[in-house]
Amino acid sequence: MFGEKGSLEAWRYFGYDRKTFRSCLSQIRKVNKRTSRIVNQILFLMMGMFCILSLLGLVRRTFAPFYGVCLAYAGVTEIIFFCPVSRPDRASLLDIYLSMCGLFAFGIAASVADPSTVATSFLVMQTLVALFLLDEMDRVLSLELAAMAVFDLTALAWKPLAIAWADILNALVYFVVSTMLCSYMQRGKIAQFLANSHFHRMARVDGLSGLLNRQTFFEASRKVLETPGADAPVFAVLDIDHFKRINDASGHQKGDDVIHAVGYGMMRALLSSADPLPESLLGTFFSSASPFLDIEGFYDEGGMDWNNAQALAGRLGGDEFALLVGGVDPMARVRKVADAVAGTSAMLGVDVSCSVGCCTVTGKDLHKAYGEADSALYQAKERGRAQICVFQGGDR
């Protein structure tokens, strides 16, 4: 079954391919981070209580050192959680593995502390780790196998042989059960993440152009402007020239094709002019031979995210679009967008051009910038369209 690459990939990613699984990474990291904090805090409180009970003689005093080790581990892990990190994605993975190792450490410590009983605690921890740890299947199973190996060795070293073999057999049975639970439960979580991503994307992205919708564009632009230290970007408003004529002469289907092609051209022009160049996005999603774009994959990989493109693009409605463009020379990038719009004419078989109004954003007043760019757009139309006008203080 696992001789075929596709079957092995499906097993590793809970019935999905690698690309689909990776599209959920941001949600997986959030869940893992939240889970790790909860698990570690519970472990810390539980070990603290057991240490106190042991010292008071309410449970066996010989347990106190083992619980103390687990308490110290949970305390160190809690400190690590709050250390500043440069890579949040790696930190969330480290957090969840530290918490899961803490659960296994408690199970093994409890087993060593009371050699006369079957190690119920470790078996419960095996199940909890399978339910809580969300990562690629081979990594989850590697952790489970490593913990089981340590548990088996400590059982053979500290327990009577008959009890040790019973523990090893039980651990093996629970490993098989845990594997099945992990596969079933995590597949359901991935399906939920994919559904969440789909509906979240539908609420953010304009389905026809592939650009951000009006609300999302302005929300994202405000966040960018509120970021301290950012260079003054250019705000631009763009209209397709004589769009009504295209609809009347060639039909509304052709008008939809124009909107789609313009959105594609705008995204490609902005990404291809970004510095540094997001080569993975360009190479994966844009082809000179086809104007069709995998919108879901594009946005899942961070398409048109400010960190990748140093720009935002949105469709405000009808044939009106808006841009927030940063970088070394944002006006040059706006001109490339206008050229890309005009470049769709040959492919569509109709004349397509655009009028653009721009302004440099000073401060954080997005409402003011929109008004200034709109005034410049009005001037571009008055001057004959198919051109770019920059707002001057005396404009309209």
Side-chain angles (χ1 to χ4, degrees):
M1 174 181 177
F2 299 127
E4 300 179 6
K5 181 179 178 181
S7 299
L8 180 59
E9 184 178 58
W11 169 81
R12 184 177 183 181
Y13 299 112
F14 309 103
Y16 299 94
D17 57 39
R18 181 175 183 272
K19 181 179 178 181
T20 302
F21 181 84
R22 287 185 61 82
S23 72
C24 302
L25 282 182
S26 61
Q27 296 183 77
I28 290 172
R29 289 164 184 158
K30 288 179 182 177
V31 170
N32 278 343
K33 185 174 183 178
R34 184 170 61 249
T35 300
S36 61
R37 302 293 165 87
I38 294 172
V39 167
N40 196 70
Q41 287 169 9
I42 291 174
L43 184 65
F44 185 82
L45 292 173
M46 186 170 61
M47 292 304 95
M49 292 174 63
F50 272 110
C51 283
I52 293 172
L53 293 174
S54 296
L55 294 174
L56 293 175
L58 299 177
V59 297
R60 294 186 184 181
R61 290 183 180 274
T62 52
F63 285 24
F66 299 100
Y67 293 142
V69 170
C70 293
L71 178 64
Y73 178 90
V76 171
T77 302
E78 193 69 19
I79 294 172
I80 292 174
F81 286 169
F82 289 97
C83 291
V85 293
S86 58
R87 290 290 303 274
D89 52 340
R90 292 184 179 179
S92 64
L93 201 59
L94 175 63
D95 289 353
I96 191 67
Y97 273 96
L98 285 173
S99 295
M100 297 303 104
C101 288
L103 290 179
F104 278 132
F106 165 67
I108 293 171
S111 174
V112 172
D114 191 3
S116 63
T117 61
V118 176
T120 305
S121 295
F122 178 79
L123 305 180
V124 171
M125 298 310 153
Q126 270 188 302
T127 307
L128 290 178
V129 169
L131 294 176
F132 288 151
L133 176 57
L134 184 50
D135 196 9
E136 298 169 16
M137 176 65 100
D138 55 336
R139 293 180 180 176
V140 177
L141 295 189
S142 295
L143 178 61
E144 289 265 1
L145 285 170
M148 190 168 66
V150 174
F151 170 75
D152 291 346
L153 290 174
T154 56
L156 290 170
W158 291 83
K159 296 189 176 188
L161 190 58
I163 296 177
W165 281 114
D167 282 354
I168 292 171
L169 179 61
N170 280 321
L172 181 60
V173 171
Y174 270 76
F175 171 75
V176 175
V177 173
S178 297
T179 301
M180 296 174 64
L181 279 174
C182 181
S183 177
Y184 177 77
M185 296 298 294
Q186 310 308 6
R187 180 178 301 190
K189 289 181 182 179
I190 298 300
Q192 183 179 3
F193 292 156
L194 291 171
N196 291 342
S197 296
H198 174 72
F199 290 117
H200 181 62
R201 193 182 304 108
M202 287 178 63
R204 295 174 62 247
V205 179
D206 173 62
L208 186 56
S209 67
L211 303 176
L212 300 175
N213 61 29
R214 184 186 186 98
Q215 178 180 348
T216 305
F217 170 79
F218 281 112
E219 287 177 352
S221 296
R222 289 189 184 92
K223 288 181 181 178
V224 170
L225 296 179
E226 289 170 0
T227 302
D231 295 333
V234 165
F235 190 92
V237 182
L238 179 155
D239 264 8
I240 300 173
D241 293 329
H242 305 297
F243 184 68
K244 186 176 184 302
R245 290 184 190 176
I246 297 174
N247 278 331
D248 292 342
S250 304
H252 287 84
Q253 180 62 58
K254 178 63 71 173
D256 288 350
D257 292 342
V258 170
I259 296 294
H260 177 82
V262 166
Y264 178 93
M266 289 172 65
M267 286 188 283
R268 185 176 183 181
L270 289 171
L271 287 170
S272 62
S273 60
D275 185 19
L277 195 69
E279 295 180 0
S280 61
L281 287 171
L282 285 165
T284 302
F285 297 104
F286 292 88
S287 168
S288 58
S290 173
F292 296 103
L293 180 68
D294 174 12
I295 293 297
E296 292 194 5
F298 177 67
Y299 280 98
D300 285 339
E301 292 294 325
M304 294 311 297
D305 181 84
W306 183 265
N307 293 327
N308 288 321
Q310 289 296 298
L312 298 169
R315 183 185 178 202
L316 303 186
D319 63 328
E320 184 181 18
F321 302 83
L323 306 171
L324 185 70
V325 186
V328 178
D329 189 352
M331 279 305 304
R333 300 183 71 194
V334 172
R335 286 191 287 271
K336 287 185 178 181
V337 169
D339 291 341
V341 172
T344 62
S345 298
M347 177 185 64
L348 294 170
V350 294
D351 291 332
V352 182
S353 64
C354 63
S355 302
V356 184
C358 302
C359 72
T360 300
V361 183
T362 55
K364 303 177 182 179
D365 195 340
L366 187 62
H367 180 76
K368 177 184 175 184
Y370 184 22
E372 292 177 350
D374 195 53
S375 294
L377 173 64
Y378 179 82
Q379 188 177 60
K381 290 181 178 181
E382 283 190 328
R383 292 180 179 178
R385 303 177 189 269
Q387 57 186 283
I388 300 173
C389 284
V390 180
F391 175 79
Q392 304 298 327
D395 287 357
R396 195 182 173 200

